[in-house]
Amino acid sequence: MSYRSLTARRITAVVVTTSAVPALALATATTATAATPRGPGHSAAVRELQRSPLGVGERLAPRTHFTMAPDGSSGATQGGAGIPNIDSVKSTVRTYYNATNGIASKTSSPYIDQMNALMTRETKKLPALLAGAKKTGKKPALVFDVDDTTLWTYDMEDAGMHFNFDPALQDVYVLDERFPAVPATVAFEKKAAAMGFTIFGLTGRNDDQRTATLKNLAKVGFTGFTADHFYTKWTGKGTSQQPSYITCATAKCTTVEYKAGTRAHIESQGYDIALNLGDQWSDLQGRHAQHYLKLPNPTYYLPSPDLPGLSEPRLAPRTHFTMKPDGSSGKTAGGEGIPNIDSTKATIRTYYNADSTGIANKTSSPYITEITGLTRRISPLLDAACGVTRYFGIRPAVVLDVDDTTLSTYDMEDAAMHFNFDPALQDVYVQQERFPATPGMVALANAASDAGCTIIGLTGRNDDQKAATLANLRKVGYTGFTSANLYTKWTGVGSSQQPSYIHCATANCTTIEYKSQTRAYKQTTAGGGYTILANFGDQFSDLIGGSALVPIKLPNPTYYLP
């Protein structure tokens, strides 16, 4: 066939597919300007895509505004893109604490600046608080929580626990008296004690940790805490039993029942609690204090029901957040303006309908509903585009990422890794072919293959994982993947070297350089001369860089690979 005849056929194919490809763009959750694939006549299809009402041309970037209830319930309604990404949340928290390798800066950070400002403001209020308490005829008092109110646990939470609470490790830190003081609180406590306030400690730490906690407080400079004015929680063993002044609705007391009941007990001893300080809202609920001060802490969330019949709507976390994906919002948002790590995890688990062990429900969840709805909308349009372009002599292709695009890694991310990536453990999962299929994607990929599209796999997994990945894909039902068209990343060892068609700005190629240049290569004669109709990925870095008519973003709030 002459070149002129082939060109005419391709132009005819583009005209026909302008009814299918723009519709495909309309069906996707995320669309963007695609670089024009190589081959005559394709610019017409791109222009049609750019004119679609969904706003093709919108930046390929994560959302920055979120609505998230603290209890995780927003996972049932917000959709994957509407849930703060857990990696971005951690990055934002680390910026806020100016943390390096999980260790917070002790001299300069947005957190320190905020604490200094808060405690300076509260110090100025102390004379008025003292005068108000004396007017009651009672002894003026302040009540302090311990963890992240007087003793700073950040380094344990991040470097020690990786934001996954471990009570055994916490006990080691407590008994070793490892915690520094929360910034600006020592000077505040000393000033209050010197003015005549009695200082009380009220913590969720248990009686076995009482002595070490008092020593730690004294070691870092607090002077007002004494054993007779320091309350820790009972263990239920030996003499460590629930006090008679604490009354609870069930056998297990809530934090609010314990703390509010203890404050009521302090008041019964002739004290007026002028100010109650805590980093958790449950430290403050339940009244029995004239004023309260909430200290910032986005690293964990300890909710508790309020006392029966008591409503304190002001004592609740924010539900609206602005957060950039790179963590930079930690410089400006303030502690309460950062999505709480525990609340984010709870929201993600609701979205995947995950059980208490971190295993996602495989039959019913908001995630399954969202992604299967997306694939049902896209699949018939993609099939039509595959069939028509194939008929007219164009070699249509679909590019699919692997992790959380074709194979679901949720159970590994949550149950095994607890949202802290471990490359060695990931390799175990890969080599053992342990991943189930991403919901809806087997049917979509197989249908596209049957309709005439070549399936191209393009993953950040490495060459040593290629065989196991291909086997895993076949095991869960994919039929279109082949070794020749499954692209894995080079290791730099032996024959696994950077391909000649990949050119990177530095020695370490970025994901976008690797993936976009691989897509571009597949559209050259040497790469097969394909026209990539659609590029599927769960990360924006899977999609940026063009060389596909329609980029399709699948939801994934469990990690972020910029």
Side-chain angles (χ1 to χ4, degrees), residues 366-537:
Y367 169 67
I368 292 173
T369 299
E370 181 177 13
I371 199 164
T372 54
L374 178 65
T375 58
R376 279 196 300 267
R377 293 193 303 274
I378 293 169
S379 191
L381 301 168
L382 181 60
D383 297 348
C386 291
V388 170
T389 51
R390 186 72 176 178
Y391 177 80
F392 282 99
I394 295 173
R395 303 190 73 190
V398 175
V399 172
L400 295 148
D401 173 52
V402 173
D403 290 311
D404 297 293
T405 299
T406 50
L407 297 177
S408 175
T409 73
Y410 182 85
D411 295 349
M412 177 189 75
E413 292 289 341
D414 189 356
M417 296 182 181
H418 313 296
F419 299 117
N420 290 287
F421 186 70
D422 179 343
L425 184 55
Q426 184 256 10
D427 192 59
V428 171
Y429 269 72
V430 170
Q431 302 299 345
Q432 294 180 357
E433 306 163 22
R434 294 174 67 173
F435 301 104
T438 299
M441 290 302 291
V442 170
L444 180 144
N446 290 351
S449 178
D450 292 343
C453 273
T454 295
I455 302 301
I456 299 171
L458 180 53
T459 174
R461 294 185 182 188
N462 65 48
D463 287 347
D464 292 341
Q465 299 174 321
K466 180 171 181 173
T469 299
L470 187 59
N472 198 159
L473 288 163
R474 289 170 175 167
K475 183 167 75 173
V476 299
Y478 292 98
T479 58
F481 287 98
T482 64
S483 181
N485 276 325
L486 178 62
Y487 288 81
T488 46
K489 202 167 184 183
W490 57 94
T491 64
V493 178
S495 61
S496 178
Q497 299 296 326
Q498 181 176 325
S500 59
Y501 56 81
I502 299 288
H503 304 282
C504 304
T506 64
N508 291 320
C509 288
T510 67
T511 297
I512 293 172
E513 288 173 325
Y514 156 56
K515 292 201 166 188
S516 66
Q517 291 182 51
T518 302
R519 292 194 302 272
Y521 168 72
K522 292 303 291 179
Q523 296 186 123
T524 66
T525 301
Y530 294 99
T531 292
I532 298 173
L533 299 180
N535 176 28
F536 290 79

Side-chain angles (χ1 to χ4, degrees), residues 2 14 21 52 102 145 172 178 182 195 223 239 241 268 272 309 337 345 347 358 384 409 476 488 490 514 535 545 553:
S2 69
V14 169
V21 179
S52 84
D145 172 53
V172 170
R178 294 190 192 182
V182 170
M195 291 175 65
T223 58
T239 59
Q241 300 296 325
S268 72
D272 179 79
K345 289 180 183 177
T347 305
T409 73
V476 299
T488 46
W490 57 94
Y514 156 56
N535 176 28
K553 173 68 169 64

Side-chain angles (χ1 to χ4, degrees), residues 322-340:
T322 297
M323 182 186 72
K324 295 179 181 178
D326 63 358
S328 60
S329 300
K331 295 179 180 179
T332 57
E336 297 300 325
I338 299 171
N340 187 281

